Amino acid sequence: MKEKILMVFFTVVYFLVFCYFIDLVFRNTLSLFTDLLAIVCWGIALIISAALADYTVKKIKE
């Protein structure tokens, strides 16, 4: 149970960090293509955040 809570916490933290950088890149764009690209980047960021959270939790357990 404790590991799942840590996984969710670290996933959210990593995702928010990635969202900050995605926002910096796509802040002043007004195109449909860049909006779709930003959504794709959010999906990739969510997957990477989950992987990084898993890695972090495993390192904490050691």
Side-chain angles (χ1 to χ4, degrees), residues 15 18 22 26 36-48:
F15 184 70
F18 284 129
I22 291 169
F26 294 105
L36 291 174
L37 190 59
I39 293 171
V40 169
C41 288
W42 286 340
I44 293 169
L46 184 61
I47 293 168
I48 293 172

Side-chain angles (χ1 to χ4, degrees), residues 4 7 9 16-18 26 28 33-34 37 39 41 53-54 57 59 61:
K4 289 194 183 253
M7 278 283 294
F9 174 74
L16 288 176
V17 170
F18 284 129
F26 294 105
N28 295 322
F33 176 72
T34 56
L37 190 59
I39 293 171
C41 288
D54 184 47
V57 170
K59 284 296 182 180
K61 281 175 47 177

Side-chain angles (χ1 to χ4, degrees), residues 15-36:
F15 184 70
L16 288 176
V17 170
F18 284 129
C19 281
Y20 174 74
F21 289 115
I22 291 169
D23 180 54
L24 285 178
V25 171
F26 294 105
R27 180 173 289 169
N28 295 322
T29 58
L30 296 172
S31 169
L32 177 64
F33 176 72
T34 56
D35 291 343
L36 291 174

